[in-house]
């Protein structure tokens, strides 16, 4: 009996030693792996590239959204939803849908088969909570909630949305249901009227060729550096543009509204340049939750001679790292230099956990 108890104790001691050795080995392996990840530049992480698509690739998404979109730069499938149902007045200006009241969503496909969706929905204060609940039920993130206008009536909010996964149609379904909770009207052709402004003077001041877009004149610029969101490279123009819209008010005057996309060290320089030129600051905030480098957006409002406003905007733009994004979105069959490889090395700033 005593020998049996000794054998049991010996067996238990042996098993305990085995467990300790196993745990120790596991800890040693995980510690070594962690050390290896830190030792390799960037931890061996790579960022996944977007791949080219055509409008036909997004047919099911278009069907769910209830309207056709455009493919920009051969990669970004963009659809807009102007809030022409709203009559919003700010500082005596009746704000057109093209100036500041346009909802939009963009879809991008990646080399690993996933799709990223980003967008911005214009909602009234009465619509905001039900839209928020609808987005949450569909697993669509809200990455920002704020204003794009100073004092205005009725109250309008802008909620930025984000989703990433393998089912683009499901994302589109969530967006469509959220929009159905608003007064967003059915699709109709854009306003083809050319804006009664000195557009050549605006182009010369801005250093780019703008475009007539839904009743306004628009100039757009994109960040030059690589922007990575959660390990995925954002193609130029997705979530990283400075966009300026001019609405004609008569006699060469315009209301200008839009936002600058900037990194931290550029923020104060842009704010000062705008105020020196008499342009009002509306908001300073983020649109995304996890992009690298971290991006900030400065929204503004101005009413003056259109060319003078353009010169002020250009002075602020000159302290940011952007390049002209060209005119309105359009489809191209291919993109020069587009990579179909599964990934690239992350930029140094994107290696931070």
């Amino acid at each position: 009996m005593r020998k049996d108890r000794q054998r049991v104790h010996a067996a238990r001691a042996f098993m305990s030693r085995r467990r300790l050795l196993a745990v120790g080995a596991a800890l040693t392996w995980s510690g070594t792996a962690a050390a290896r990840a830190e030792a390799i530049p960037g931890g061996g992480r790579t960022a996944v590239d977007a791949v080219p698509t055509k409008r036909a690739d997004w047919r099911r998404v278009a069907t769910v959204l209830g309207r056709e979109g455009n493919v920009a730069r051969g990669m970004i499938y963009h659809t807009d939803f102007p809030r022409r149902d709203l009559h919003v007045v700010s500082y005596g200006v009746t704000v057109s849908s093209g100036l500041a009241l346009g909802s939009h969503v963009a879809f991008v496909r990646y080399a690993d088969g996933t799709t990223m969706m980003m967008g911005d929905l214009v909602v009234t204060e009465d619509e905001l909570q039900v839209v928020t609940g609808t987005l949450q039920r569909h697993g669509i993130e809200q990455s920002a909630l704020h204003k794009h206008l100073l004092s205005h009536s009725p109250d309008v909010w802008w909620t930025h949305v984000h989703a990433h996964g393998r089912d683009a149609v499901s994302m589109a379904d969530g967006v469509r249901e959220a929009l159905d909770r608003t007064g967003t009207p059915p699709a109709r052709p854009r306003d083809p009227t050319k804006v009664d402004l000195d557009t050549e003077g605006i182009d010369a001041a801005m250093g780019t060729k703008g475009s007539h877009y839904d009743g306004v004149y628009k100039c757009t610029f994109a960040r030059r550096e690589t922007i990575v969101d959660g390990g995925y490279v954002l193609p130029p123009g997705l979530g990283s543009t400075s966009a300026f819209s001019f609405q004609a008010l008569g006699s060469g005057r315009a209301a200008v509204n839009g936002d600058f996309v900037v990194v931290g060290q550029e923020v104060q320089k842009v704010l000062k340049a705008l105020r020196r030129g008499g342009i009002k600051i509306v908001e300073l905030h983020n649109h995304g939750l996890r992009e690298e480098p971290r991006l900030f957006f400065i929204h503004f409002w101005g009413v003056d001679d259109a060319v003078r406003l353009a010169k002020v905007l250009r002075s602020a733009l000159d302290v940011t790292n952007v390049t002209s994004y060209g005119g309105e979105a359009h489809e191209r069959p291919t993109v020069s230099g587009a990579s179909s490889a599964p990934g690239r090395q992350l930029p140094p700033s994107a290696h931070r956990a």
Side-chain angles (χ1 to χ4, degrees):
M1 190 71 175
R2 188 175 180 180
K3 289 182 179 180
D4 290 339
R5 283 198 298 269
Q6 288 175 340
R7 280 196 294 268
V8 170
H9 287 312
R12 286 176 177 169
F14 175 73
M15 292 301 295
S16 296
R17 284 194 297 271
R18 287 188 63 183
R19 289 193 188 100
L20 287 171
L21 288 171
V23 171
L27 289 172
T28 300
W29 179 87
S30 62
T32 302
R36 186 182 300 121
E38 292 175 4
I40 298 173
R45 294 172 58 199
T46 57
V48 183
D49 280 317
V51 297
T53 57
K54 298 179 181 179
R55 187 180 298 178
D57 297 325
W58 302 102
R59 189 174 293 115
R60 293 177 63 202
V61 167
T63 299
V64 171
L65 292 177
R67 64 189 70 193
E68 287 290 331
N70 291 311
V71 176
R73 302 299 186 273
M75 287 189 179
I76 306 171
Y77 182 71
H78 179 271
T79 308
D80 56 13
F81 305 84
R83 290 300 304 262
R84 297 191 181 101
D85 58 305
L86 298 177
H87 181 79
V88 176
V89 178
S90 180
Y91 284 85
V93 175
T94 299
V95 180
S96 70
S97 59
L99 182 64
L101 301 175
S103 298
H104 65 92
V105 290
F107 294 78
V108 173
R109 192 160 295 159
Y110 283 90
D112 63 355
T114 63
T115 296
M116 184 182 294
M117 183 275 291
M118 287 185 179
D120 190 8
L121 308 184
V122 179
V123 298
T124 66
E125 192 147 316
D126 290 339
E127 297 165 346
L128 177 58
Q129 304 310 320
V130 68
V131 167
T132 296
T134 302
L135 294 170
Q136 290 175 351
R137 283 195 302 276
H138 284 268
I140 295 175
E141 296 179 339
Q142 286 173 284
S143 56
L145 175 62
H146 48 239
K147 300 275 192 176
H148 289 184
L149 295 170
L150 291 171
S151 178
H152 61 279
S153 178
D155 278 318
V156 178
W157 292 85
W158 286 257
T159 181
H160 289 256
V161 295
H162 181 280
H164 193 175
R166 295 190 175 274
D167 191 347
V169 174
S170 178
M171 298 176 202
D173 185 58
V175 170
R176 176 60 186 267
E177 186 175 333
L179 289 170
D180 285 345
R181 304 290 180 150
T182 73
T184 302
R188 77 179 193 196
R190 292 175 184 163
D191 182 354
T193 306
K194 290 194 174 182
V195 179
D196 185 19
L197 290 171
D198 180 4
T199 55
E200 289 186 1
I202 292 173
D203 290 346
M206 296 298 299
T208 189
K209 176 67 175 174
S211 61
H212 294 273
Y213 178 87
D214 201 24
V216 300
Y217 194 68
K218 192 167 186 176
C219 299
T220 308
F221 301 81
R223 296 294 303 186
R224 292 178 185 273
E225 64 268 66
T226 298
I227 310 297
V228 177
D229 185 295
Y232 290 79
V233 176
L234 301 184
L238 181 65
S240 57
T241 58
S242 295
F244 314 129
S245 297
F246 297 79
Q247 177 181 314
L249 300 179
S251 302
R253 288 168 59 80
V256 65
N257 184 255
D259 56 357
F260 287 81
V261 57
V262 299
V263 293
Q265 60 266 35
E266 298 168 347
V267 170
Q268 302 308 315
K269 296 174 184 178
V270 171
L271 293 174
K272 290 175 180 178
L274 292 174
R275 290 305 300 134
R276 278 197 303 269
I279 291 180
K280 297 177 179 179
I281 309 300
V282 177
E283 290 265 4
L284 166 62
H285 51 231
N286 304 105
H287 287 177
L289 299 175
R290 57 185 71 85
E291 79 280 349
E292 291 287 350
R294 201 76 175 101
L295 300 178
F296 299 86
F297 292 80
I298 298 172
H299 292 259
F300 59 85
W301 171 268
V303 175
D304 204 334
D305 176 79
V307 176
R308 182 188 176 280
L309 289 170
K311 290 177 179 178
V312 175
L313 294 174
R314 183 69 230 190
S315 70
L317 199 65
D318 283 341
V319 302
T320 69
N321 185 28
V322 297
T323 185
S324 174
Y325 191 62
E328 185 177 342
H330 59 281
E331 178 170 304
R332 295 181 182 178
T334 59
V335 176
S336 177
S339 171
S340 58
R344 72 172 78 169
Q345 284 297 124
L346 287 167
S349 61
H351 293 308
R352 296 196 296 271

